[in-house]
Every structure is written in C-alpha cells, then in structure tokens.
Amino acid sequence: MNRREFLSTLAAATAAGFPLLRSEALAAPARQPPVQYDPPRFGNVHLLHLTDSHAQLLPLYYREPDVNLGLGVAKGRPPHLVGERLLKHFGLKARTAEAHAFTSLDFVKAAAVYGRVGGFAHLATLVKLLRASRPGALLLDGGDTWQGSGLSLWTRGQDMIDACKLLGVDVMTAHWEFTYGAERVQEVIAQDFKGKLDFVAQNVKTSDFGDPVFPPYVLREMNGVSVAIVGQAFPYTPIANPRYLVPEWTFGIQEENLQQVIDEARGKGAQVVVLLSHNGMDVDLKLASRVRGLDAILGGHTHDGVPRPVLVKNAGGQTLVTNAGSNGKFLAVLDFDVKGGKVSDFRYRLLPVFAHLLPADAEMAALITRLRAPHEARLGEKLAVTEGLLYRRGNFNGTFDQLILDALMAEKDTEIALSPGFRWGTSLLPGQDITMEDVLDQTAITYPSTTVSELTGEQLKALLEDVSDNLFNPDPYQQQGGDMVRVGGLSYACDPTAGMGHRIQDLRLGGKPLEAGRKYKVAGWASVSEAARDGGGEPVWEVVARYLRGQGTIKARQPQLPKLLNVAGNPGLAR
C-alpha cells in the first residue's frame, strides 16, 4: 500500500463512521482521523524508533499506569505524570484517541471504542508509509524485543528476530535479549543479523580485559549527512536478571566511555549523534545533563509513552530525551534539519498504533501466521473468563499481578506470595477469555521456577526495603530494577520520600503486626539465583494455569496496594 492508497483507506474509514468515532461518551473531531499517521516531512535526517515490544506480534490492549511516582527533582516532570496531569502538561484533550493512548483514564470504556493497539502487521504498514516520505530513514529498536510471550520463549526469540528483519530494523540495542544467554545473542548477531542489522552497545565489555563485546556505535550516511547511532544496553542486566546467563560480561552506565565514543564518532565526521538507550528515562535525563555531544537520547526500559521530548541542557548545548512506550503501541518519528554540520531544528511525533486504523501489511501478517501455526493450539487454550479488568503496569500491584499472587498462595499453600515488578504484560478487558497465551504474556521468562521459602519478618521487611530503594532512590543511577515487588497476603505502608531502610512500615498479616523473628511461608518466582534454577520448582505459568482451570470464572478484584504516605497531590498518582 502506497501513501495515496493508505490515506484514501483512512479517509474512507473515517467518513464511514469508523468505530473510533461512534461513541457518545468519548469525543473525537467529526470526519477527521484521530491520529495523523502522515506527519509532514521535515529536515534531512529521519529516525523511526520503537522499543520494549516484548514479543507482542498481535494487536493487544495495554493500560498505561495510574501510579508513576516522581520524587525530588523528578516530581511533576515527565515521565512521572499520569492521567489528567499528563494531559494538561502536554496539552492533550481528554476523551480522545491520544488521551486513551497515553493514560489509563476511562480505560475499559475507551478500549471498547478505540480497539486494540500495536501488532507488527499494522506497525509494518506505518513504517512503510513513513519511509516512503522520508528517504533514508533509519528504524531503531531500543531492545526488550525478543522476550515477553510464549512464542518467543519457545523459539528462543526467533519469531521476533524474523519479524524485526522483515520490519526493516536497522540498528538495535538490548536488555531482556540477554536472558537467552550470551551464546544465543552472539549466534543471532553472527547468523541472522550479519549484513542486515547492527547490534550496538558501548557499555558491555568482557570481564577479564574490558574489551568491547559489541560495536559501540554505527555510522550511517543519510541524505548527505553522517549519522552516528550509539548503543546503550540496560546497565544493570546482571543485577536485575540472572548473572549466570552472561557470566563473562560486565555492564554499567559507563559515562566516561560513552563520552569517548561520542567524541570518536564526531571525530569521524558524524554531524548527528544519537544514543539508542535502554537505561530508563530518569537515568537518561541525568545522563543527558552530564555528557556533551548527543543530539538526542531515544530511550526505553521504563515503558513511558512521552508525547514530547524533554530538552536537557549540558556543557555541549542541549540533548533531546525521549521514551517511546512499549508493546508495539507507539512508533516515534524524529526529524532533524542539519545545516552547516550541525542540527538546527527538529520535529518529533510519538504515534499511537491503533490497529483498526492501519491496514495489516500482508507480508508481515503471513509471516506471523506461519510463526504461530505450530503453537496455536497450546497458546489458544481457554483457562478461565475474567469478569474484571486485568492489567499490570504501575509502581505497585496491578490486577493481573494480584491474580498471579492469589494463584501462588492457593496452589503452594502459603500465607504470603511475592511476584516481580515487571513492567511488561498485556491487559484483558472484562468478559475476555484468559488463555494460556495471556498467562505466558505475564510470565514467559527463561528462569520461571517457583519457590517456597521460609522468611522471617525481618527478612521480608529488608527485601521490601531493598526493592523500594531500587524504585525510589533519589539518584537515578541507583534505580536498578523494575517497579515495586508485588505482594500478596501481606499489607504494609510505604513512604517513598523516606530514606533507605525507612520506607516500609506497619507490615501486617491477617491484620496482625509481622513479627521480626517469626518465620513465614512465602511463595515466589523468577529468582535470579542459581539455587532457584537448580531447585526444580515448576514454571510459574503452570501454577497459574492450574489455578485458573480450577476457578473457571475470575471475579473482578482489587489489587492489594500499600498505604502510601507523604505523596498526596503527587502528579504521578491518579488515585
């Protein structure tokens, strides 16, 4: 489909009363496309950016967070804005397609109106449309692409590798890709990507001599302009994920080395230098203030859909910092106008990918069908029906997290359960079937073993304190994980503004205070230790699936949330 055909299809759908325009509860301009999928071409350097797809090949529902707290200098600034505060900050209208894309407001009602988002066949159509108007445009993948579904787990990421090649990805960096092991990553680079796709990461080195494992950057010529794309893999991979999967590699932010790489690229003639980052937005904002010579940081990891870049001043001028959401829900378009050897101006759009507005690309759709065919029966097994909304994303428990916790406690006969604060995982609307694929979308990792342990009250508090410091440490460089560990059976209060060791308070089980010296039976999963790997615990998806089969119908549930202290009025809190 060329540009003219695409626009004709979109106009026809709009004029015919496309479902996006049929709701009385949500306002959209009459006979106008809800999203401008053909933004005017600008300048001479064009970058398309997607990140954190988490192996989601098909269209899906994905609820944005209603809790994303920012503290200290981060309070009230992107990405720590939710709901109406986000709309106000970016000048977006409520009850529109954009409001639905960027917030959780009226999510169930809006999702019924606007439909599913993402899907690589629909994304492929958009990529082709944008490339048709932007000669030489580069498609950049920020990582967390090969992991997040049952299909990707069973194929060791090959489904996404094939899809990204067909999509036309030019350059990528990584995080969850490393959980398939160092050998698998190197195999893909040597066999699948050779001569087709550049895998870059300036901050991954050998642990013996500190040699680079991957090229730190790649130089590409575009419309007479030399462009450098520098890679920044997730700096805390061996902490957040099992160290044994990448035993001979070191990571880290590596500011000093990054500055050297930027200077080297500039010395080789690069007129535009962009960091393709998987740091997370808070880390990128700090990094942008401390290094010079970066025109932009195209960020990922924290799954923040940020409509406009944040401009950060530094010794070299200023750097644009962006974050492009997750799950194939968005595609970012960054146009630079380069004059006299430097960037003179830019335009940026973060486009929501509404599946019903973008015709499926036939070639990509055929590839997805072929990849899924051997596994459809297992993926499609109906386990239960949900009566309530199931979602994950947010600083604390989501309803899908609560379901996993309830399953662990019931099936493992424990009084407490813990589940990781992963940001990935799709959403289900009330009345939808819960299939095996849906469960795997929440749990598909290479270290899925469940565990049952005895922990003292003191140990439980220490664990919660440690994870909360990863999330709420005032120094972004010390924020090393995902969101807060999800907790079942145990209630507590949390003061995110307090210092290390003092955030977690009033821990209770069954209404009674937790005793420091008493041992409690605790179920969990996704431990990064070798002992857990070797312990023989059944995969968490089997535990959850068994629980769902026994329930049949899953009642709407409220997630067990901590009592939050000293954050009233925080723009990152919608509740």
Side-chain angles (χ1 to χ4, degrees):
M1 177 174 289
N2 61 33
R3 177 178 179 273
R4 179 176 294 179
E5 290 170 338
F6 171 81
L7 293 176
S8 296
T9 300
L10 184 57
T14 302
F18 183 78
L20 286 179
L21 308 178
R22 286 210 298 254
S23 172
E24 296 178 359
L26 300 168
R31 301 187 182 279
Q32 293 294 321
V35 180
Q36 185 182 10
Y37 281 129
D38 190 30
R41 174 184 167 186
F42 177 82
N44 48 5
V45 171
H46 315 292
L47 304 174
L48 311 179
H49 176 226
L50 72 156
T51 190
D52 296 87
S53 299
H54 283 291
Q56 295 302 318
L57 288 173
L58 298 179
L60 51 88
Y61 297 109
Y62 184 78
R63 178 187 184 272
E64 298 296 328
D66 58 5
V67 182
N68 189 2
L69 295 171
L71 306 172
V73 296
K75 182 179 178 180
R77 76 176 188 188
H80 300 289
L81 299 166
V82 300
E84 293 175 355
R85 303 289 185 88
L86 183 147
L87 299 182
K88 182 178 180 179
H89 181 89
F90 290 108
L92 303 178
K93 293 182 179 180
R95 300 175 180 272
T96 62
E98 283 190 322
H100 175 54
F102 290 106
T103 76
S104 63
L105 295 171
D106 297 318
F107 180 78
V108 172
K109 183 185 296 184
V113 173
Y114 297 119
R116 298 174 189 263
V117 295
F120 262 53
H122 307 277
L123 187 62
T125 295
L126 182 56
V127 169
K128 288 180 179 180
L129 174 69
L130 293 166
R131 278 184 152 158
S133 63
R134 287 166 168 75
L138 294 176
L139 178 57
L140 312 179
D141 179 357
D144 277 8
T145 304
W146 307 353
Q147 176 277 336
S149 72
L151 184 59
S152 65
L153 180 68
W154 299 333
T155 65
R156 301 177 68 215
Q158 194 64 48
D159 61 328
M160 299 306 300
I161 293 160
D162 292 346
C164 285
K165 287 164 58 181
L166 182 58
L167 189 66
V169 173
D170 295 292
V171 188
M172 75 171 293
T173 194
H175 169 206
W176 274 92
E177 287 75 9
F178 296 122
T179 63
Y180 290 108
E183 184 178 339
R184 174 59 173 158
V185 172
Q186 291 176 317
E187 173 187 68
V188 172
I189 294 170
Q191 297 180 12
D192 294 89
F193 287 174
K194 188 175 182 180
K196 300 182 180 73
L197 195 159
D198 290 297
F199 189 107
V200 292
Q202 70 86 24
N203 59 329
V204 184
K205 299 180 179 180
T206 61
S207 55
D208 49 7
F209 299 111
D211 297 324
V213 175
F214 310 106
Y217 66 98
V218 61
L219 283 171
R220 294 289 186 95
E221 193 82 10
M222 187 187 309
N223 303 318
V225 178
S226 180
V227 179
I229 307 298
V230 182
Q232 178 84 353
F234 181 54
Y236 301 113
T237 296
I239 298 172
N241 308 104
R243 175 68 185 162
Y244 60 76
L245 294 170
V246 285
E248 298 178 358
W249 297 348
T250 65
F251 290 73
I253 295 171
Q254 300 193 26
E255 255 187 30
E256 184 177 343
N257 189 70
L258 174 59
Q259 187 64 68
Q260 292 173 0
V261 167
I262 296 167
D263 294 343
E264 179 183 308
R266 292 284 185 186
K268 290 184 177 181
Q271 299 173 54
V272 175
V273 180
V274 170
L275 184 67
L276 181 59
S277 169
H278 205 89
N279 283 331
M281 192 162 183
D282 285 326
V283 176
D284 284 336
L285 289 167
K286 178 176 178 178
L287 185 66
S289 73
R290 294 166 62 91
V291 298
R292 64 187 185 280
L294 285 175
D295 294 298
I297 299 178
L298 299 181
H301 178 63
T302 38
H303 294 199
D304 301 307
V306 180
R308 291 199 303 270
V310 176
L311 274 62
V312 179
K313 294 182 179 180
N314 51 55
Q318 69 178 20
T319 300
L320 310 177
V321 178
T322 75
N323 206 279
S326 66
N327 286 276
K329 184 178 178 179
F330 298 99
L331 181 67
V333 186
L334 175 59
D335 295 325
F336 281 124
D337 191 23
V338 180
K339 296 178 180 178
K342 62 181 182 180
V343 172
S344 64
D345 202 356
F346 76 94
R347 298 288 186 273
Y348 182 84
R349 302 283 192 281
L350 185 58
L351 301 175
V353 180
F354 288 106
H356 285 77
L357 274 181
L358 292 160
D361 177 77
E363 190 177 7
M364 182 66 78
L367 173 66
I368 294 170
T369 298
R370 178 174 61 80
L371 291 169
R372 291 177 57 87
H375 309 281
E376 283 286 8
R378 186 177 178 191
L379 292 171
E381 181 192 355
K382 177 183 172 181
L383 303 171
V385 176
T386 180
E387 293 185 348
L389 172 66
L390 294 178
Y391 65 91
R392 170 175 277 167
R393 177 74 172 100
N395 285 161
F396 301 97
N397 285 25
T399 51
F400 224 132
D401 297 303
Q402 193 64 51
L403 178 58
I404 293 170
L405 293 165
D406 291 346
L408 285 168
M409 290 187 289
E411 295 295 321
K412 297 300 179 182
D413 190 27
T414 66
E415 48 199 341
I416 298 170
L418 303 176
S419 186
F422 294 145
R423 295 186 178 96
W424 47 271
T426 59
S427 304
L428 292 178
L429 302 184
Q432 281 192 266
D433 292 340
I434 307 174
T435 65
M436 192 67 192
E437 182 167 22
D438 298 320
V439 172
L440 287 162
D441 283 348
Q442 311 290 325
T443 59
I445 61 175
T446 57
Y447 49 104
S449 299
T450 51
T451 58
V452 175
S453 309
E454 286 193 337
L455 299 178
T456 65
E458 182 179 18
Q459 288 173 318
L460 283 164
K461 183 180 187 301
L463 187 153
L464 296 181
E465 289 282 8
D466 183 61
V467 179
S468 67
D469 192 61
N470 280 339
L471 180 60
F472 297 122
N473 192 296
D475 181 358
Y477 282 12
Q478 300 302 315
Q479 296 171 7
Q480 300 174 355
D483 282 313
M484 186 63 181
V485 62
R486 281 42 175 147
V487 180
L490 184 67
S491 67
Y492 66 99
C494 177
D495 182 356
T497 67
M500 174 63 176
H502 301 284
R503 294 187 180 94
I504 306 302
Q505 306 170 26
D506 194 26
L507 290 93
R508 292 176 178 270
L509 182 65
K512 298 180 179 180
L514 214 63
E515 300 175 32
R518 178 186 163 187
K519 290 184 177 181
Y520 299 88
K521 191 177 179 183
V522 182
W525 67 286
S527 171
V528 300
S529 73
E530 293 183 69
R533 177 196 64 186
D534 300 335
E538 65 180 322
V540 64
W541 54 77
E542 296 293 353
V543 175
V544 177
R546 186 168 62 247
Y547 174 79
L548 290 172
R549 291 185 191 106
Q551 296 292 312
T553 298
I554 301 300
K555 301 291 185 183
R557 60 193 64 205
Q558 290 296 319
Q560 188 171 357
L561 299 170
K563 179 181 179 181
L564 295 177
L565 307 175
N566 296 321
V567 292
N570 191 295
L573 182 65
R575 296 191 179 95

